Amino acid sequence: DFRNEELRKQFKVKFPDLELVIQYLPTGNNAAKLKAEGTATQADIVLGLDTAYMEDNIDLYVNVSEYARKDYLPGLNPDKGQYLIWEKYSGAIIINTDVLSKKGLPEPKTYQDLKDPKYKGLIVMPNPKTSGTGYFFLKNLVNELGEKDALAYFDELQKNVKQFTESGSAPVTLLSQGEAAIGLSTTFKAAKEIEKNVPLKIIEPEYGSPFSLSGFGIISGKEKNKNVIEVYKWLASDFVVYDKENFSPDKIFENQKTVVKNYPDFESADMKGINDSKEKEMLLKEWKY
C-alpha cells in the first residue's frame, strides 16, 4: 500500500489533469483476471506482474522496447519487448523477536527448523497459488530438494502454518501486528517495518534468498491513448528508479542506489525455471493448501 500511495502522490504532481485508478491484486488473481478479460480489460497498464505470467499472456501487450532505460543489467531486457522489468523482489525467513521471546522459543535458522512442533500455529506464508512470493519459495525448494521432497516438506510445514496469505507481503503485516512469530515473506517489506522500530529480524535461508522478477506493460489497443503512453514513459524512466531506490532495492540497474535501511546483502538462491509457466501450472496443481 505504501508503494501505491507514493505512486499516486507523484502521479498527481506529474499529471495534475489526469485521474489515476490503481487496482491492487495478488499475483495469481491478477494474472487470472487478465487472462479471462484479455484486451477488453479496463486496465491500461499492468505493473509489477511476475514475468512468468507476463510471458504466459504475452500477446496481451504491445511492444514497449523503445521506452527501456539503457542501464538495465545484462539479461534483464526481455527479448520479445512486450514488457520491461519492474523489479527483482526477494524473500527470506522473517521473525518477530518479541513474540518468540515471550513464548520462550529459539530463533529458527533453517527451513527444516520450521517443521519443529514447537512452532505450531506461529508460522505464516503466502499461498503459491495466489502469490508470486509464495511460488518462489516453493520453486527454490523444488530446485534444491527435487519436486517430491519439496512437496513433502510443505506437507510437514503446513502442520505449523497458521495462515496461507493471498499476497506475498501479508505475512510481514501479520508479524508486525504480533499475530505470528515467523513468516516466509518479502525482504523489502520487512526492512521497511524495521525502519519503524518493529521488532522484526530477517534471516537468510540456507539455500540463499529466493526471488522473482516482475514486469510492466501496456495492454494492446490502449497505446492509442497518448496519455497512456506518457504515463508509461514516466514509469519507465523515472518512477521505476524511485521505487528501486526507496522500496524494492534488489539490483536491476547498473548504478542503482538505495536508501532502504536494514536491507541485507544475501546470496541469491537457485531460481532456474522460475519463468517456466508450464512447470508452474504443474506444481500448483500439486499444491494442496
Side-chain angles (χ1 to χ4, degrees), residues 259-274:
V259 297
V260 178
K261 300 175 182 177
N262 312 301
Y263 201 83
D265 183 19
F266 291 160
E267 292 290 327
S268 292
D270 174 11
M271 300 309 302
K272 182 179 179 181
I274 189 67

Side-chain angles (χ1 to χ4, degrees), residues 18-274:
L18 299 182
E19 180 182 355
L20 174 66
V21 176
I22 299 176
Q23 184 176 18
Y24 172 74
L25 294 169
T27 303
N29 297 357
N30 195 0
K33 179 179 173 65
L34 289 168
K35 193 164 191 174
E37 295 175 349
T39 55
T41 185
Q42 287 184 311
D44 299 311
I45 295 170
V46 175
L47 179 68
L49 183 63
D50 272 25
T51 51
Y53 286 123
M54 299 292 289
E55 291 286 343
D56 200 32
N57 293 311
I58 198 69
D59 292 339
L60 274 179
Y61 309 102
V62 298
N63 192 295
V64 290
S65 56
E66 66 182 291
Y67 309 124
R69 293 176 58 90
K70 305 302 182 186
D71 55 345
Y72 274 104
L73 291 172
L76 293 186
N77 272 319
D79 295 335
K80 298 184 180 71
Q82 259 82 350
Y83 64 91
L84 302 177
I85 296 299
W86 179 249
E87 68 182 327
K88 173 187 176 185
Y89 65 100
S90 58
I93 300 171
I94 318 295
I95 62 172
N96 183 312
T97 55
D98 279 3
V99 174
L100 283 176
S101 178
K102 288 175 183 176
K103 293 184 177 294
L105 294 173
E107 297 179 2
K109 303 298 182 186
T110 68
Y111 288 121
Q112 297 304 317
D113 289 347
L114 302 184
K115 297 191 301 181
D116 194 309
K118 63 176 170 272
Y119 297 123
K120 185 175 178 64
L122 297 176
I123 298 174
V124 286
M125 74 164 284
N127 190 328
K129 285 190 172 181
T130 59
S131 163
T133 304
Y135 180 70
F136 68 49
F137 280 105
L138 170 60
K139 183 65 176 78
N140 177 226
L141 289 188
V142 168
N143 287 352
E144 294 292 343
L145 306 177
E147 179 186 336
K148 182 179 178 180
D149 287 347
L151 290 171
Y153 169 80
F154 285 105
D155 285 340
E156 289 296 311
L157 181 67
Q158 64 85 24
K159 296 174 184 177
N160 287 345
V161 172
K162 178 180 181 179
Q163 182 180 348
F164 290 100
T165 64
E166 278 203 329
S167 78
S169 61
V172 174
T173 301
L174 293 172
L175 289 167
S176 298
Q177 294 168 347
E179 296 181 27
I182 303 165
L184 301 181
S185 194
T186 47
T187 308
F188 77 85
K189 177 71 180 292
K192 294 299 284 187
E193 291 296 285
I194 293 170
E195 278 187 22
K196 304 174 190 174
N197 295 317
V198 178
L200 302 185
K201 182 177 179 180
I202 303 168
I203 298 172
E204 182 176 12
E206 64 263 41
Y207 304 124
S209 181
F211 68 89
S212 188
L213 298 171
S214 72
F216 63 120
I218 300 174
I219 296 294
S220 182
K222 306 301 178 75
E223 78 281 4
K224 296 173 184 176
N225 183 335
K226 66 178 184 178
N227 290 329
V228 171
I229 294 296
E230 290 305 307
V231 170
Y232 189 85
K233 287 166 64 177
W234 170 71
L235 289 169
S237 61
D238 294 355
F239 195 75
V240 67
V241 176
Y242 182 91
D243 186 86
K244 304 297 93 60
E245 289 179 349
N246 293 274
F247 298 137
S248 184
D250 283 283
K251 194 170 182 181
I252 63 171
F253 298 121
E254 292 284 357
N255 298 307
Q256 187 173 312
K257 300 176 182 177
T258 182
V259 297
V260 178
K261 300 175 182 177
N262 312 301
Y263 201 83
D265 183 19
F266 291 160
E267 292 290 327
S268 292
D270 174 11
M271 300 309 302
K272 182 179 179 181
I274 189 67

